[in-house]
Amino acid sequence: MRNYEIVYKEIEEDKTWEDIVKKVFEQCFKEEGLQDSKLYITVTFTNPENIQNINKEYRNIDKPTDVLSFPMFEKEELDQKIQKKDFSYQDILGDIIISISKVEEQAKEYGHSFERELSYMLVHGFYHLMGYDHIEEKDKKEMRKKEENILKTLDILR
């Protein structure tokens, strides 16, 4: 069973992005022991205007961004579900929205490939859906360690 759905909102489809999504999420789910779960993620690829509208509507920030994540579970609730292996029904883990223009821009800015930047956005979004954040330095370190581990395992380096 595939653990994601891809939506294109006002941008052209690109199968190479879908290959990246598949590879990254397979590793994320494997790393977190979720490959037999019925959890899935909706990924929306869009443009700066759409992501700005969503950012304004849901976060009250009127500017475009690179990635937005909307988890369906609180971390404790998800941890309990995982611990109990409560996967009788298909459940959405959450939504990740990515501005492809921003991915392209940041890949150039940071001097690495588009694949590396998109992979990072997907992994970053995944861990937000898993209940991690980067507000406190301690939490940021934990989240970054998990992100870098996935990218290193996939040999997607800077």
Side-chain angles (χ1 to χ4, degrees):
M1 186 183 102
R2 200 166 79 171
N3 52 14
Y4 61 88
E5 170 190 18
I6 298 173
V7 176
Y8 293 88
K9 187 168 181 181
E10 296 183 29
I11 62 169
E12 298 269 332
E13 289 187 27
D14 189 320
K15 296 298 178 202
T16 60
W17 305 343
E18 295 181 22
D19 293 340
I20 295 168
V21 171
K22 181 181 189 301
K23 178 169 65 172
V24 168
F25 284 160
E26 280 178 358
Q27 187 59 41
C28 287
F29 273 67
K30 181 180 174 186
E31 184 69 29
E32 295 300 324
L34 298 174
Q35 60 272 48
D36 294 328
S37 75
K38 293 182 180 176
L39 293 169
Y40 73 98
I41 298 168
T42 300
V43 178
T44 302
F45 293 127
T46 193
N47 60 33
E49 297 78 27
N50 280 323
I51 208 164
Q52 179 171 348
N53 290 337
I54 295 164
N55 205 17
K56 182 179 180 184
E57 182 177 346
Y58 291 97
R59 298 179 63 227
N60 217 19
I61 299 172
D62 191 12
K63 66 179 193 175
T65 190
D66 48 8
V67 60
L68 292 170
S69 303
F70 296 96
M72 292 303 287
F73 297 97
E74 293 293 327
K75 183 159 182 19
E76 296 75 27
E77 181 185 12
L78 183 60
D79 288 346
Q80 272 189 334
K81 188 174 191 59
I82 292 168
Q83 186 178 23
K84 291 180 183 175
K85 299 216 180 287
D86 179 16
F87 301 118
S88 305
Y89 305 100
Q90 192 171 44
D91 251 330
I92 186 157
L93 187 56
D95 297 302
I96 299 172
I97 303 163
I98 297 175
S99 170
I100 289 296
S101 299
K102 206 72 164 147
V103 171
E104 291 167 341
E105 180 186 310
Q106 288 176 181
K108 286 178 189 150
E109 182 183 330
Y110 301 137
H112 54 240
S113 69
F114 175 88
E115 179 189 20
R116 188 340 178 147
E117 190 63 20
L118 179 57
S119 297
Y120 177 75
M121 292 297 142
L122 291 164
V123 173
H124 186 76
F126 173 81
Y127 279 109
H128 274 308
L129 299 185
M130 292 292 294
Y132 293 87
D133 68 43
H134 42 81
I135 297 166
E136 301 292 325
E137 191 58 35
K138 176 178 92 46
D139 298 332
K140 182 178 180 178
K141 283 181 183 173
E142 183 181 8
M143 186 172 175
R144 291 289 182 268
K145 184 177 177 185
K146 287 182 166 289
E147 292 167 345
E148 291 301 324
N149 181 51
I150 297 287
L151 295 171
K152 185 178 177 191
T153 301
L154 291 172
D155 200 29
I156 302 173
L157 308 171
R158 291 177 193 237

